[in-house]
Amino acid sequence: VGALTAGLQLNAGRLNVDATASDLNAQVRGGVGIRAPFRFQAEATLERTPLSPLLVAAAPNPSVPIDGTISAVISAAGDGNPGMEATATVDLRNLDVKVGDVPFALASPARLSIAPGAVAVDSLLLRAGKETAARVEGALALNERRNGIDLRINGSLSDLLDFAEVARSKDPAYVRSAAGDSRVNLDLHVGGSLMAPEPAGTLTLEAGELQYRDFPPLTNVKLAARVD
């Protein structure tokens, strides 16, 4: 991850840290108490930080190459006691990534929040592939009911096949029609809780022509399904 410079300061029972990774355009500032309950707070700022060095450090031999940049502010606070309770937020400002040959981009700033026993997503909108959009928003708790998470995907079947890497396999399934002729729409709501999720929604698929291996092509394909 390149050079790392850090400054440490002990003040009034608290160890403060200010670190910079210049090659990653990343900075971390925070502090932790040196006595119980070891309260801490930290903030990391990423400014068009390259993802490849971070991912290679975490997983040296990735099965799928991932490259691109991310801009975000990550904040966390809590204590270090057993069964510690902490909160965290990720303010995504920019995301421009390629997974294999498939591009992903953040359409607008979004926030992810994590609290003890709960997660929330504030309108995360991604552009993926050539013409696919995915939106995630809502909240779920570990045991209690919240508003739930909504997932909406609107795009082309060709994009989804690319996502699954089927289009690059030795025996590919693929959409032979023009991209505008094939559509996939998913509208899914996950209610309940993380321990007892309650999914419900619809899936529709339309394709002018769909062929798999050496089988004769299917034409005017239409599929409608419900998730309960």
Side-chain angles (χ1 to χ4, degrees), residues 3-7 17-30 42-49 54 70 72-75:
L4 176 68
T5 59
V17 179
D18 189 339
T20 300
S22 56
D23 291 349
L24 299 178
N25 297 325
Q27 184 177 45
V28 177
R29 290 177 175 172
E43 181 177 279
T45 302
L46 312 178
E47 190 61 44
R48 300 198 67 82
T49 295
L54 297 176
I70 182 173
V73 176
I74 305 168
S75 303

Side-chain angles (χ1 to χ4, degrees), residues 7-227:
L8 303 176
Q9 183 180 43
L10 185 60
N11 183 26
R14 184 176 179 84
L15 180 63
N16 297 309
V17 179
D18 189 339
T20 300
S22 56
D23 291 349
L24 299 178
N25 297 325
Q27 184 177 45
V28 177
R29 290 177 175 172
V32 59
I34 61 174
R35 299 182 182 88
F38 306 106
R39 298 194 183 278
F40 68 88
Q41 64 81 30
E43 181 177 279
T45 302
L46 312 178
E47 190 61 44
R48 300 198 67 82
T49 295
L51 286 170
S52 182
L54 297 176
L55 296 174
V56 168
N61 298 302
S63 57
V64 179
I66 301 175
D67 198 11
T69 60
I70 182 173
S71 296
V73 176
I74 305 168
S75 303
D79 63 58
N81 281 334
M84 73 174 186
E85 293 192 351
T87 61
T89 59
V90 180
D91 287 303
L92 281 172
R93 298 174 175 176
N94 182 271
L95 182 67
D96 190 359
V97 179
K98 270 194 172 183
V99 181
D101 294 327
V102 181
F104 291 82
L106 186 69
S108 59
R111 168 173 284 195
L112 289 75
S113 303
I114 301 173
V119 294
V121 183
D122 182 11
S123 193
L124 174 62
L125 178 59
L126 286 174
R127 304 291 184 190
K130 296 178 180 178
E131 52 178 347
T132 296
R135 180 186 292 274
V136 183
E137 57 187 343
L140 277 174
L142 188 63
N143 294 302
E144 64 186 47
R145 287 180 174 272
R146 296 286 176 90
N147 294 335
I149 297 285
D150 291 311
L151 169 63
R152 295 181 178 88
I153 297 176
N154 188 324
S156 73
L157 185 56
S158 295
D159 280 343
L160 297 187
L161 291 176
D162 283 343
F163 301 157
E165 294 191 325
V166 178
R168 291 185 292 275
S169 69
K170 294 182 179 179
D171 297 307
Y174 62 96
V175 177
R176 295 181 60 189
S177 57
D181 248 354
S182 63
R183 304 300 303 172
V184 174
N185 293 281
L186 174 66
D187 191 344
L188 181 66
H189 176 80
V190 181
S193 66
L194 290 170
M195 295 300 293
E198 299 173 359
T202 59
L203 170 67
T204 61
L205 182 153
E206 296 183 2
E209 187 176 19
L210 175 64
Q211 184 170 2
Y212 180 71
R213 294 185 180 178
D214 296 327
F215 292 98
L218 300 174
T219 58
N220 296 321
V221 177
K222 293 185 178 182
L223 171 66
R226 289 194 60 82
V227 179

